[in-house]
Amino acid sequence: NTDAAYVFAYSVIMLQTDAHNDQVKQKMTLEEFKKNNRGINEEKDLPEEFLTEIYQNVVTNEFKLKGDDGDDVSVEVETKSRSGLPGLDAILNVFGGSQTKKLEPNEEQIRQTHEEMKEKGTATKWLTAAGSEDIRPMLEVAWAPLLGAVSVAFEESDDESITSLCMDALYFVIKVAAPLEMETVRDAFLTSLAKATHLHMPVMNMHAKRGEAFKTLLNVALDAGNHLNTGWKTVLTSISQYERVCEQQGKTATDDMLGMPMTPTMTPKKERFKKKVPMSPAQVSASIIDTFGPSTTANIVLVFESSSNLSSTAVVHFVKALCEVSSQELESKVSPRVYSLTKIVEVAHYNMNRVRIVWSRIWAILADFFIFVGCHPTLNVAMYAIDALRQLAMKFLERDELANYTFQNEFLKPFVLVMRQSKAVEIRELIIRCVSQFILARVSNVKSGWKSMFMVFTAAASDENRQLVALAFSTIEKIVREYFSHVTETETATFTDCVNCLIAFANSSLSDVSLNAIAFLRFCALKLAEGELGELEAPPEELGKSPEEHKQASQEEEEDSQALNKTLSQRTILFTDKDVHLYFWFPLLAGLSELTFDTRQEIRHTSLEVLFDILDYHGSTFTIDFWVRIFNSILFPIFDQVRMEVTEITTFVSDSDRSKVDAWLYETCTNCLQHVIDLFTKFYAELTPLLPQLVDFVCGFVKRNHENLAAMGVEAFTRLLLAIGDQVAEKELDYVFEGLRNALSETRPSLQPLLSSLEDEPVSEANGNVQGARRRAKSLIEGPGARKLAAVKCKISVQILLAKCIGQFYSAFKTKLESKSKLVLLELLKGVAKKSKAVNLDIEQRARLMALMQANGDLQSSSGLPDPPLLEVEKQSFHICLSVLMDIVETGDALGDKVMNDVADVLLELSLGELKTFLETSGKFGNDECSYRREILEHSLKAVLDLPESLFKRNIIPLFTKLSDLIKCENSTPQILHITSKIFSERILKFINTAL
């Protein structure tokens, strides 16, 4: 592994420094050395024997150059390995061979070397250099003095032959050092050559040798380009400096076509030993161009054109250096230059046909650069960069994408990042138009690029500029209508990107755009359900035979085969809770559910309708596991916000906030809850396991201390019961009844929390002695008292609604309900009636309540509680219970004696209870309450009168006693006495006569 070699080489160098540096007091141990190299070879360890051998050798033998510390104990390169291990030498050569410590030879060392060569001259055998390893040691020794000599000779001499020799020396040293990867030598000579051009400080009447130096630099770039690596920056910087000079003369139109001001040149300086007369920048420029010669521009063009011939590694270095130079040109905020930017575009064109892997490495550098320039503060520069990027993309999209690669997506990513980061609306608009052009012109080759395109449009959807949003959506509309098949042909995951983009537009501030985006989401759901996304596979269906059997049958008979193929092609996909199915469906459904909280009524309504239309239309393709995920993750969470924010306190919110809350409660929330119930009942056969969870969910609304929410919950519960009543099994019905029982129990009104607002307060005399106590009432208009009053009123309302719900359910399904279910309903109704009656007959509690109401004089009569407080609950529940009892009695012949006896017991219990209450409270209450008591007593007596003979006989004794007392009562009305008389004459007298 090459990475392991690099890491291990660094580790060895660190060991060398640690072992032989006197400043390091605590030396590295063998175990520490092994620990440092643990797992570097693709997470595996190197052999311990190898590591031990390397460690011992490095610790005992210091790496030294000949001449270090004045001694010659180091081993000669030609005859012996420095480390004793060829493998280690090879690793060290990667980092410069024997360049571990570079020192220029001094006079004494040179003299000693000459003497040694003279002494050994007769015995030395001269060999011809045959490889780079023979050249490297010689160049390492000679390059420093050679560079000094050449530089001085070039600067101090104007003789053409001498300067030509100097240029040849620089040229050939670079050509030798570059392939040997002697970076220090290469860069030193390149830098010297670049400075020799004097382009970094141009002056008038430059010597011709400056032009020769620049030509030599260009020749080096053309001939040794594959080995320049980071040295390319030096070459390209010089080219940029030359072009800056040319711009003063008007030889390039780069800045003019961008509308940029001309780049100011540096103040001319005097060259050594020559007198110069200050000239204008244009004159200096013309002089330099003449000096450098007409062929210079052609050679510069050739440098960029030849980039297509560079090796895969060299071209990456070339592009990186060019981007760095261009960044330097663009640094100026007053007059940035774009010459190198134009050359980047050209180089990209030249190299676009390279192997895709190489091109991806090039583009990784260019992409970051284009993102940087696309966000440039100078608008013209940024627009030029985006337009250049557009041209490159159009050319790149002419090529088809390789299978299993995502080059198109990587190529288009700069558009995404610039779209998100740019603050200029002109740039964002230009990006939208560019991407739209790609789709219209190259739609078949976009492939993986759809992901980036949808990311661009998603960013545009949230843009503050409304015109930009409309422009972007017009393209999205065309994609969905005309090019949808192209979106998922390469990678089906782009379907989710498309959906997320549409959801972003659905959240746009433009209502028309939002409504159209929601409509397109319905279209996407249709395509998904129809199986047009290739990655989704339909599970096998029950076709009677396996596919192999069908195939065998097709071989036997062609007609059967055709029919079978038609059947197979029309199969419907079944969606389960597999990750792949959730991945495609849930972003779409969750996006629509979130839109139900939009502040615009038409968006809320449309998104809600589309969401449930999709579920209603395609629900038959969902398995129960998938439905469970939909209810738990999509539908139920819609109500999370209202369950968190709409509490009992919302009864007292401000008018402005109330309108928002009411809009959600009365419109969206109500409709959504109804849709949930309707959806469940439509697919009840498949969703039966969800019934307990749905009942608990609805009961959660019923139990809220918010009157509107609770009313919606009861309405939904009633809707559920009436919808599934004819198909629900006895086991499921038990869940429903249990939910009803819990709801009735938890919403049962209690006056105690409200009455706790009455507190005893000590009353003191003037001297401070406690005289006594008096009642002090807390406010019921605001604060905790108001919330408690609202809670009691809410529960009263809920009890009445639940009693009506039970009555409706019984009326709708009384012929289908089992006797057990009927008795359960009777029990629930009787419980409501009895408990509410008990509260109404608590005289002391009612007195305290009225005192509390009177203490809050500002409380309107309609806002307080009546006296008795639960009279309406008792009345409604009693009448419903009595009507159910009478219906069972009239039609209950088939129920059996035991059931009928139980029903009669309940009826007589209620009737005798009302009779007893009337006798005990007669004349003690107000007219309204007495009127009510007489009314329910009349109904009770009529029910007794209509009892079947067998049931009447079983209870004749208690009836006779109570009815006798009723006749004696002074407050009995003529109607009551008339019914009582009929009971005695028609029922009791008949019984006595029969007995006699």
Side-chain angles (χ1 to χ4, degrees):
N1 182 282
T2 54
D3 290 338
Y6 280 97
V7 174
F8 184 64
Y10 277 116
S11 181
V12 171
I13 293 173
M14 290 173 60
L15 177 62
Q16 151 75 16
T17 305
D18 178 270
H20 303 288
N21 190 327
D22 295 336
Q23 295 181 357
V24 179
K25 302 302 181 184
Q26 185 152 5
K27 304 298 183 181
M28 186 187 302
T29 65
L30 174 60
E31 291 304 319
E32 290 174 338
F33 179 68
K34 291 179 180 179
K35 182 178 179 181
N36 290 343
N37 294 282
R38 189 169 297 160
I40 66 173
N41 189 22
E42 293 182 342
E43 300 185 357
K44 298 179 182 178
D45 295 340
L46 298 174
E48 287 197 11
E49 299 80 5
F50 174 72
L51 292 174
T52 302
E53 187 178 3
I54 292 289
Y55 177 84
Q56 297 296 341
N57 194 288
V58 172
V59 170
T60 55
N61 299 296
E62 181 182 2
F63 301 156
K64 283 188 177 182
L65 292 176
K66 186 171 183 176
D68 284 0
D69 301 326
D71 80 73
D72 297 329
V73 296
S74 57
V75 184
E76 295 183 7
V77 175
E78 296 84 358
T79 60
K80 191 173 181 180
S81 167
R82 290 178 295 117
S83 65
L85 293 174
L88 179 58
D89 289 337
I91 294 175
L92 293 175
N93 286 336
V94 174
F95 295 91
S98 57
Q99 299 181 59
T100 307
K101 192 173 181 180
K102 297 181 175 62
L103 293 174
E104 292 188 14
N106 53 38
E107 297 279 343
E108 181 62 23
Q109 291 172 349
I110 294 174
R111 186 186 60 78
Q112 291 179 0
T113 302
H114 285 180
E115 291 178 356
E116 290 178 2
M117 292 177 65
K118 288 179 181 178
E119 293 176 0
K120 300 178 180 179
T122 56
T124 301
K125 181 180 180 181
W126 291 90
L127 300 175
T128 303
S132 60
E133 289 303 319
D134 296 327
I135 301 172
R136 181 191 293 270
M138 294 185 288
L139 187 57
E140 287 174 346
V141 173
W143 74 268
L146 178 60
L147 177 61
V150 170
S151 299
V152 172
F154 181 81
E155 292 296 333
E156 294 184 352
S157 175
D158 292 337
D159 185 271
E160 184 177 349
S161 60
I162 293 177
T163 56
S164 177
L165 287 173
C166 291
M167 290 300 100
D168 288 343
L170 294 174
Y171 171 81
F172 286 114
V173 169
I174 295 172
K175 280 203 67 176
V176 172
L180 293 175
E181 298 182 359
M182 300 174 68
E183 296 181 4
T184 303
V185 179
R186 178 200 66 206
D187 293 344
F189 276 76
L190 272 175
T191 302
S192 179
L193 189 56
K195 288 183 178 179
T197 64
H198 262 221
L199 288 171
H200 57 289
M201 48 181 185
V203 294
M204 187 68 181
N205 297 326
M206 291 177 68
H207 196 279
K209 65 183 180 180
R210 306 300 177 187
E212 290 301 318
F214 188 59
K215 291 177 182 177
T216 303
L217 184 64
L218 296 179
N219 288 334
V220 168
L222 292 171
D223 297 340
N226 282 334
H227 307 289
L228 289 184
N229 296 350
T230 56
W232 270 113
K233 185 176 181 180
T234 303
V235 176
L236 296 174
T237 300
S238 297
I239 293 176
S240 173
Q241 292 168 347
Y242 175 78
E243 291 299 329
R244 182 186 60 191
V245 173
C246 292
E247 287 170 8
Q248 305 301 324
Q249 184 68 15
K251 294 298 182 181
T252 61
T254 304
D255 291 335
D256 289 340
M257 69 182 180
L258 291 176
M260 304 290 297
M262 279 300 204
T263 307
T265 188
M266 298 175 61
T267 303
K269 294 184 179 181
K270 293 183 179 181
E271 194 173 6
R272 266 200 304 176
F273 309 121
K274 293 190 178 181
K275 263 183 148 181
K276 298 294 178 185
V277 178
M279 305 290 287
S280 68
Q283 290 174 320
V284 173
S285 175
S287 172
I288 292 175
I289 292 173
D290 291 339
T291 300
F292 279 57
S295 62
T296 301
T297 301
N299 288 336
I300 291 175
V301 172
L302 187 59
V303 168
F304 292 106
E305 290 179 347
S306 299
S307 65
S308 59
N309 299 324
L310 293 175
S311 67
S312 59
T313 303
V315 73
V316 173
H317 286 291
F318 179 85
V319 171
K320 184 177 181 180
L322 186 57
C323 290
E324 291 174 355
V325 173
S326 181
S327 298
Q328 293 175 353
E329 292 179 351
L330 296 169
E331 283 180 356
S332 173
K333 296 182 179 179
V334 178
S335 56
R337 297 177 59 235
V338 294
Y339 169 75
S340 295
L341 175 59
T342 62
K343 293 303 175 183
I344 286 174
V345 178
E346 294 177 11
V347 169
H349 275 289
Y350 296 147
N351 291 275
M352 195 172 288
N353 292 325
R354 284 182 177 267
V355 177
R356 297 294 179 93
I357 301 298
V358 176
W359 170 250
S360 66
R361 294 172 58 196
I362 296 173
W363 187 247
I365 299 171
L366 292 179
D368 291 340
F369 175 76
F370 276 113
I371 293 169
F372 161 73
V373 182
C375 298
H376 197 277
T378 304
L379 181 61
N380 288 342
V381 173
M383 293 191 71
Y384 179 81
I386 298 302
D387 186 66
L389 192 58
R390 176 193 62 80
Q391 297 176 42
L392 291 175
M394 286 293 289
K395 182 174 179 61
F396 187 77
L397 289 175
E398 292 177 356
R399 308 167 65 188
D400 198 7
E401 187 172 46
L402 298 177
N404 301 320
Y405 285 90
T406 58
F407 292 117
Q408 265 79 337
N409 183 46
E410 295 298 324
F411 197 94
L412 297 174
K413 273 186 178 179
F415 289 105
V416 179
L417 296 177
V418 176
M419 184 71 191
R420 292 174 177 173
Q421 299 174 12
S422 178
K423 297 180 180 179
V425 66
E426 296 87 353
I427 296 299
R428 301 198 299 272
E429 180 180 352
L430 180 59
I431 291 175
I432 294 298
R433 296 190 181 279
C434 289
V435 174
S436 301
Q437 184 182 6
F438 301 154
I439 295 170
L440 296 177
R442 302 283 188 268
V443 65
S444 59
N445 284 344
V446 174
K447 303 297 173 86
S448 65
W450 284 112
K451 187 177 186 67
S452 290
M453 289 190 175
F454 284 125
M455 292 172 72
V456 169
F457 290 120
T458 300
S462 58
D463 201 282
E464 297 177 353
N465 189 292
R466 297 168 67 89
Q467 294 179 346
L468 187 64
V469 175
L471 175 65
F473 186 73
S474 63
T475 304
I476 285 293
E477 188 173 8
K478 193 171 187 66
I479 291 173
V480 177
R481 290 184 184 277
E482 301 179 17
Y483 304 132
F484 190 83
S485 59
H486 293 280
V487 172
T488 58
E489 65 178 353
T490 300
E491 187 178 357
T492 54
T494 52
F495 172 83
T496 302
D497 298 314
C498 178
V499 167
N500 290 333
C501 182
L502 289 172
I503 291 172
F505 277 106
N507 284 283
S508 167
S509 59
L510 299 178
S511 295
D512 291 342
V513 169
S514 298
L515 292 173
N516 287 330
I518 293 172
F520 286 138
L521 287 172
R522 186 202 300 267
F523 173 80
C524 290
L526 179 63
K527 293 295 183 182
L528 177 58
E530 288 179 349
E532 292 198 9
L533 306 184
E535 187 175 330
L536 301 179
E537 297 179 358
E541 295 183 348
E542 296 295 333
L543 296 179
K545 294 182 179 181
S546 65
E548 292 78 11
E549 291 173 332
H550 281 303
K551 184 175 180 180
Q552 184 178 359
S554 68
Q555 295 173 351
E556 297 175 354
E557 190 171 353
E558 185 65 20
E559 294 181 359
D560 291 345
S561 172
Q562 294 176 355
L564 176 64
N565 290 337
K566 183 177 180 180
T567 302
L568 291 172
S569 64
Q570 294 176 349
R571 288 191 303 172
T572 302
I573 296 178
L574 290 180
F575 295 98
T576 67
D577 62 343
K578 292 181 180 178
D579 290 342
V580 64
H581 294 166
L582 299 177
Y583 176 81
F584 287 99
W585 271 108
F586 271 56
L588 191 154
L589 299 176
L592 286 170
S593 70
E594 291 174 2
L595 286 169
T596 59
F597 296 100
D598 197 280
T599 56
R600 297 162 292 180
Q601 190 274 338
E602 67 274 17
I603 303 301
R604 293 199 305 271
H605 175 75
T606 305
S607 60
L608 190 66
E609 293 300 321
V610 170
L611 172 62
F612 283 97
D613 283 350
I614 289 173
L615 296 175
D616 182 77
Y617 188 77
H618 303 296
S620 58
T621 64
F622 301 159
T623 63
I624 180 59
D625 294 331
F626 194 73
W627 272 117
V628 170
R629 297 294 290 270
I630 288 177
F631 271 87
N632 290 333
S633 302
I634 303 296
L635 299 183
F636 290 156
I638 292 178
F639 303 92
D640 285 348
Q641 183 172 350
V642 73
R643 285 188 286 182
M644 288 187 294
E645 296 181 1
V646 183
T647 65
E648 59 273 13
I649 302 176
T650 56
T651 310
F652 315 102
V653 295
S654 63
D655 292 339
S656 59
D657 293 335
R658 179 187 291 278
S659 62
K660 297 178 182 179
V661 173
D662 289 348
W664 209 95
L665 283 178
Y666 295 123
E667 297 172 15
T668 312
C669 184
T670 303
N671 292 337
C672 186
L673 196 54
Q674 291 175 355
H675 281 304
V676 169
I677 299 301
D678 293 342
L679 185 69
F680 178 83
T681 56
K682 178 177 180 178
F683 299 102
Y684 178 72
E686 295 81 10
L687 300 181
T688 302
L690 276 172
L691 180 61
Q693 188 176 356
L694 183 62
V695 169
D696 291 341
F697 174 76
V698 175
C699 287
F701 281 90
V702 177
K703 299 171 186 176
R704 294 298 298 276
N705 284 336
H706 187 283
E707 193 167 348
N708 293 325
L709 279 180
M712 283 189 291
V714 176
E715 182 183 356
F717 204 103
T718 305
R719 195 183 191 93
L720 176 64
L721 286 175
L722 297 178
I724 66 173
D726 57 345
Q727 51 184 324
V728 64
E730 184 176 353
K731 181 180 179 181
E732 285 77 34
L733 199 56
D734 290 340
Y735 293 137
V736 176
F737 290 159
E738 187 62 27
L740 268 174
R741 183 177 289 105
N742 290 335
L744 285 168
S745 175
E746 295 194 27
T747 59
R748 185 177 300 125
S750 175
L751 301 181
Q752 289 304 319
L754 190 61
L755 294 176
S756 64
S757 299
L758 278 173
E759 297 178 349
D760 289 335
E761 168 179 76
V763 179
S764 303
E765 296 178 345
N767 58 10
N769 296 327
V770 176
Q771 180 181 5
R774 66 183 177 186
R775 289 293 174 93
R776 178 172 62 89
K778 292 184 178 178
S779 173
L780 299 182
I781 300 175
E782 59 184 3
R787 288 194 289 273
K788 292 176 181 178
L789 177 60
V792 172
K793 293 174 64 177
C794 176
K795 290 182 177 180
I796 291 174
S797 176
V798 171
Q799 290 278 302
I800 295 172
L801 292 174
L802 287 174
K804 291 180 178 179
C805 170
I806 296 173
Q808 292 180 36
F809 177 66
Y810 175 82
S811 299
F813 303 104
K814 58 185 178 181
T815 59
K816 299 180 180 180
L817 287 175
E818 299 289 337
S819 57
K820 176 184 175 182
S821 300
K822 293 179 179 180
L823 291 176
V824 171
L825 295 178
L826 282 174
E827 177 193 352
L828 296 176
L829 289 169
K830 184 184 72 172
V832 175
K834 289 184 66 175
K835 289 179 173 59
S836 58
K837 181 179 178 180
V839 174
N840 291 332
L841 295 179
D842 191 337
I843 305 300
E844 180 183 356
Q845 187 172 252
R846 286 169 56 181
R848 294 176 61 198
L849 180 62
M850 289 304 103
L852 182 61
M853 295 297 161
Q854 292 172 6
N856 286 269
D858 296 335
L859 190 66
Q860 297 179 2
S861 58
S862 59
S863 301
L865 292 176
D867 184 38
L870 306 186
L871 184 63
E872 189 64 26
V873 178
E874 181 186 353
K875 182 178 178 181
Q876 292 289 343
S877 58
F878 180 83
H879 281 301
I880 295 172
C881 184
L882 192 61
S883 63
V884 172
L885 283 168
M886 293 306 300
D887 184 80
I888 295 175
V889 169
E890 292 175 3
T891 61
D893 294 339
L895 295 179
D897 294 339
K898 185 178 185 308
V899 175
M900 291 305 297
N901 289 335
D902 292 339
V903 171
D905 290 342
V906 175
L907 176 58
L908 288 170
E909 181 184 356
L910 285 177
S911 300
L912 292 175
E914 291 301 326
L915 181 55
K916 179 181 178 182
T917 301
F918 181 80
L919 293 173
E920 292 176 353
T921 62
S922 179
K924 295 181 180 180
F925 298 123
N927 292 331
D928 291 341
E929 186 175 356
C930 287
S931 176
Y932 162 71
R933 294 297 172 194
R934 287 193 291 268
E935 179 187 349
I936 61 175
L937 180 57
E938 290 176 13
H939 289 292
S940 300
L941 293 175
K942 288 179 181 179
V944 172
L945 181 63
D946 294 335
L947 272 176
E949 188 68 25
S950 59
L951 298 178
F952 187 85
K953 286 181 180 181
R954 291 179 63 247
N955 299 278
I956 192 170
I957 295 177
L959 276 173
F960 184 85
T961 304
K962 293 297 182 182
L963 290 174
S964 299
D965 294 337
L966 181 60
I967 295 173
K968 301 174 187 177
C969 182
E970 297 178 355
N971 295 309
S972 297
T973 62
Q975 292 84 354
I976 293 175
L977 292 175
H978 175 69
I979 299 173
T980 305
S981 176
K982 289 186 68 175
I983 294 175
F984 273 104
S985 62
E986 296 180 7
R987 305 302 302 272
I988 297 178
L989 183 58
K990 181 181 178 181
F991 174 77
I992 294 173
N993 292 333
T994 304
L996 293 175

